[in-house]
Amino acid sequence: MTVTPSAPSFESAISQARTFLDRLQAGSLPETDITEIVAALVGTVAGARGFFVVYLTDERSLLDQPQAAVMKGLRQHPEVVGDLLVKNLAMSSAMALHHQRNNDGVIALKSQRASRRAATLIQTLELDNTGSRLEQLQATIAAGRGQYTDFLNRWGYDAEQQQAIAEAIAPLLTDRPDMGGGGGQ
């Protein structure tokens, strides 16, 4: 698989991520290629958005336990990856509730899977920036204003959806002392 040397568009990254996952499942990629492909896809916001759309929502169970080579590729772009993982955790948690309200259990389960995968990546990657981002999002929800106000308003998340986001964040903050679980750190 060849990843376009220039920054992939969102649509191109989706296509490339699907091809990548097919090859990953087939076992036809050496670890160095896995790392290089992932790093190339998540090197820009558009590329990372496309990658995560596919990676977090794909049906394949092999993605529930991320491979070391995938993690290594994600770690090469911590700013982009950390920001998008926090936002994906929030969005998928809020949308799971939205789909439950609409009695669409199948889609709700898919959103829950995306939320779980985003949380797993956040925990496993241990990027320096995710703890503070999670704390800022949690504080914005608690205060009704803050750094993530525009994000929450843009997607129109109501109080119950924001509570679902806060509940998804809470274990990530309490499970890791370096992510604010120690109180006033």
Side-chain angles (χ1 to χ4, degrees):
M1 175 179 158
T2 307
V3 174
T4 310
S6 62
S9 68
F10 175 68
E11 294 79 9
S12 174
I14 288 173
S15 175
Q16 290 178 41
R18 286 183 179 139
T19 301
F20 164 71
L21 292 183
D22 290 342
R23 294 195 58 206
L24 186 67
Q25 183 175 21
S28 64
L29 289 170
E31 286 200 19
T32 55
D33 287 359
I34 293 169
T35 299
E36 288 176 16
I37 291 167
V38 171
L41 285 170
V42 301
T44 65
V45 172
R49 283 181 53 236
F51 175 80
F52 285 127
V53 161
V54 174
Y55 192 91
L56 296 175
T57 62
D58 192 90
E59 304 270 337
R60 293 170 248 233
S61 62
L62 75 106
L63 303 177
D64 293 331
Q65 297 298 319
Q67 296 180 346
V70 170
M71 304 302 280
K72 188 174 179 182
L74 293 174
R75 282 189 186 102
Q76 291 185 27
H77 299 284
E79 278 302 312
V80 172
V81 168
D83 180 53
L84 287 177
L85 281 175
V86 169
K87 289 177 179 174
N88 272 287
L89 175 67
M91 295 173 82
S92 56
S93 300
M95 291 311 293
L97 178 60
H98 170 79
H99 295 305
Q100 288 170 354
R101 289 174 178 166
N102 291 332
N103 295 316
D104 194 342
V106 172
I107 302 298
L109 287 173
K110 290 180 180 188
S111 291
Q112 289 169 356
R113 178 179 55 225
S115 176
R116 218 174 26 255
R117 284 183 179 165
T120 297
L121 288 172
I122 289 168
Q123 287 176 310
T124 308
L125 285 168
E126 297 180 332
L127 300 174
D128 291 339
N129 63 352
T130 53
S132 61
R133 291 177 191 275
L134 290 167
E135 288 172 345
Q136 291 163 356
L137 180 53
Q138 191 85 308
T140 300
I141 291 168
R145 60 183 167 71
Q147 184 166 341
Y148 281 89
T149 301
D150 290 344
F151 169 77
L152 296 170
N153 290 339
R154 180 178 337 122
W155 297 106
Y157 298 139
D158 62 31
E160 193 177 4
Q161 287 175 303
Q162 290 185 36
Q163 183 59 38
I165 295 168
E167 289 171 7
I169 292 170
L172 298 175
L173 294 176
T174 58
D175 287 350
R176 294 201 24 217
D178 63 318
M179 286 189 130
Q185 298 177 6

